Amino acid sequence: PKVNDEQPCRLTARMCYHLLSKTSRSFSAVIQALDGELRHAVCIFYLTLRALDTVEDDMTIPIDVKMPMLTNFYQHLHEPGWKYTDSSEKDSIVLEQFPSVVEEFGRLDVLYQEVITYVCKEMGQGMAGFLQCKVGTIKEWDEYCHFVAGLVGIGLSRLFTASSLETRVVGEDTALANSLGLFLQKTNIIRDYLEDTDDGREFWPREIWSKYAGALSEFKRADKREKGLECLNELVTNALRHVPDVLVYLSRLRNQSIFNFCAIPQVMAMATLERCYSNPAVFTRVVKIRKGEAVRLMVDATSMDAINAIFDKFARLIDLRVPIRDPSAAETRVLCGAVLQRT
Ligand code: PS7
Ligand code: MN
Ligand code: MN
Ligand code: MN
Ligand code: MN
Ligand code: MN
């Protein structure tokens, strides 16, 4: 994708792009390539949510401190100079340099400010609600993913429409926008099994894993591999249900820079799901798509024809690997078939 190399001259704006490149490998380039004022609005949106997520992820903050921090976080967007310097999380720099984010937030069009505030408030509340209890039912899994990612999709879509670069339907169809977030978040949760359980976090829904094990961490044991794979495949199958929504959403986009921004992460998620499907390595190491493969996908994912071809390819690869006796086999095949039959 085309890179927008315009350098902002304000110190606080420059700090924001520095923070963006420091904290995101995948989003930094596509955000910086966005057209017009959308580029800055999405950059500030990203940094705000990255800061909030850093608080959620910080296991050294006691729960009774973290709870009000999450629910009140949106208020800091209106407090010049607010920062938090006691985190030792990976992306703590965003909390330490938050005064630059607050300054730049205040310079955005009020329409953009309102969307960012709304998502930050709802996400903080949602995260707080899940602090105590782990994800139990499949319904709760969708709820958690709505709070941390579906809302991002809804907010971004409203920003697209507010910028006039996209039509009204993009910002108004919240169900489709939610699906793009859920597809990314579920893939992230599936892939991060080992990292998350090693950190004492559990995001795989109990309603699903309890069919295959007495405790989620059991899947790390070699003798539980088969059950682990069946559980993994049920989760991948659940995530694949969002693919039809993703493709309809992407087909509605008209602006090339927005299309690339939305499509690239979705294509990466589909590639990651294919890599994770029936793959025992999910339980022993971090499963990643190869660097060269990721670059190829980023370069290619610029038209609806290319997106259709890429989703086709990965659906076909999953379909070929469905184990005969897998409990989810029938549904997995139906969902892969639905992707393939569109063209
Ligand atoms: C505003 C671009 C494009 C309609 C910080 C983009 C964590 C998967 O496992 O660090 O914690 O390391 O890899 C992004 C829909 C959200 C959902 C969400 C804000 C797509 C805070 C991204 C991203 C909607 C909660 C990856 C959801 O984080 O995870 C902007 C359309 C942030 C999007 C979190 C996760 C993002 C995520 P981990 P990551
Ligand atoms: Mn990450
Ligand atoms: Mn988090
Ligand atoms: Mn995180
Ligand atoms: Mn994760
Ligand atoms: Mn992480």
Side-chain angles (χ1 to χ4, degrees):
K2 176 179 83 212
V3 178
N4 181 345
D5 53 10
E6 235 177 279
Q7 282 304 311
C9 55
R10 277 190 311 282
L11 219 57
T12 49
R14 282 172 59 179
M15 174 56 86
C16 286
Y17 288 90
H18 172 70
L19 294 173
L20 178 65
S21 63
K22 276 249 160 196
T23 57
S24 105
R25 303 142 301 281
S26 42
F27 287 119
S28 175
V30 278
I31 290 175
Q32 294 195 63
L34 283 168
D35 287 345
E37 52 185 23
L38 198 54
R39 178 194 200 228
H40 205 46
V42 174
C43 174
I44 303 310
F45 190 25
Y46 177 85
L47 293 174
T48 301
L49 300 184
R50 178 52 67 211
L52 179 65
D53 183 55
T54 301
V55 174
E56 190 210 23
D57 292 356
D58 194 328
M59 300 301 260
T60 68
I61 305 174
I63 218 161
D64 58 313
V65 177
K66 194 188 277 194
M67 192 82 94
M69 272 186 90
L70 292 172
T71 47
N72 299 334
F73 198 86
Y74 73 97
Q75 294 170 354
H76 305 318
L77 287 168
H78 298 279
E79 289 168 34
W82 186 88
K83 61 183 167 178
Y84 184 75
T85 52
D86 291 334
S87 178
S88 43
E89 270 292 300
K90 172 174 61 70
D91 296 324
S92 60
I93 185 172
V94 184
L95 288 164
E96 286 150 16
Q97 301 296 333
F98 208 71
S100 294
V101 180
V102 174
E103 167 71 24
E104 293 302 313
F105 172 84
R107 292 174 176 275
L108 294 175
D109 189 299
V110 181
L111 276 174
Y112 298 142
Q113 289 190 23
E114 282 169 358
V115 173
I116 295 171
T117 303
Y118 164 80
V119 171
C120 187
K121 184 171 186 225
E122 294 292 308
M123 188 183 290
Q125 270 178 17
M127 284 171 164
F130 275 94
L131 274 187
Q132 326 262 22
C133 52
K134 290 172 185 166
V135 181
T137 63
I138 298 172
K139 189 164 165 267
E140 282 166 8
W141 200 36
D142 280 37
E143 274 162 15
Y144 177 74
C145 292
H146 163 76
F147 287 128
V148 302
L151 278 170
V152 186
I154 292 167
L156 284 168
S157 304
R158 290 190 179 152
L159 295 179
F160 301 159
T161 296
S163 74
S164 300
L165 291 172
E166 293 296 345
T167 54
R168 275 176 55 184
V169 68
V170 172
E172 285 171 2
D173 195 336
T174 54
L176 287 197
N178 190 53
S179 291
L180 268 76
L182 263 60
F183 188 62
L184 294 189
Q185 191 64 31
K186 287 181 177 181
T187 301
N188 182 293
I189 285 173
I190 291 167
R191 185 202 60 189
D192 289 349
Y193 167 87
L194 195 64
E195 184 188 304
D196 288 335
T197 52
D198 284 350
D199 289 352
R201 279 179 249 264
E202 294 191 356
F203 295 113
W204 285 25
R206 191 182 54 243
E207 185 179 344
I208 292 181
W209 64 250
S210 63
K211 292 196 251 173
Y212 307 99
L216 183 58
S217 55
E218 276 179 21
F219 297 141
K220 284 181 221 178
R221 289 167 36 186
D223 58 312
K224 303 283 175 174
R225 215 28 42 90
E226 205 179 309
K227 287 290 160 200
L229 288 179
E230 291 178 0
C231 180
L232 172 62
N233 292 349
E234 183 170 344
L235 293 176
V236 171
T237 302
N238 178 295
L240 287 173
R241 292 181 192 165
H242 300 294
V243 169
D245 277 1
V246 168
L247 295 171
V248 171
Y249 180 98
L250 294 177
S251 73
R252 287 177 177 169
L253 299 174
R254 292 294 164 258
N255 177 277
Q256 185 69 53
S257 74
I258 293 177
F259 184 86
N260 296 350
F261 169 74
C262 293
I264 289 170
Q266 300 297 320
V267 156
M268 296 292 177
M270 186 65 180
T272 302
L273 273 188
E274 186 275 327
R275 180 52 59 85
C276 289
Y277 184 76
S278 236
N279 185 350
V282 169
F283 303 110
T284 56
R285 59 178 169 81
V286 182
V287 174
K288 277 204 172 134
I289 43 177
R290 283 187 302 274
K291 186 73 195 277
E293 205 177 340
V295 170
R296 181 83 250 162
L297 289 170
M298 285 198 265
V299 171
D300 288 349
T302 54
S303 74
M304 210 48 223
D305 282 346
I307 298 302
N308 282 325
I310 292 167
F311 273 82
D312 244 70
K313 173 183 136 176
F314 289 116
R316 213 177 287 278
L317 287 172
I318 293 174
D319 194 48
L320 282 169
R321 303 217 318 276
V322 176
I324 321 165
R325 280 175 221 296
D326 187 272
S328 309
E331 197 195 349
T332 313
R333 288 221 185 81
V334 168
L335 290 168
C336 288
V339 177
L340 297 171
Q341 271 159 30
R342 292 164 313 111
T343 46

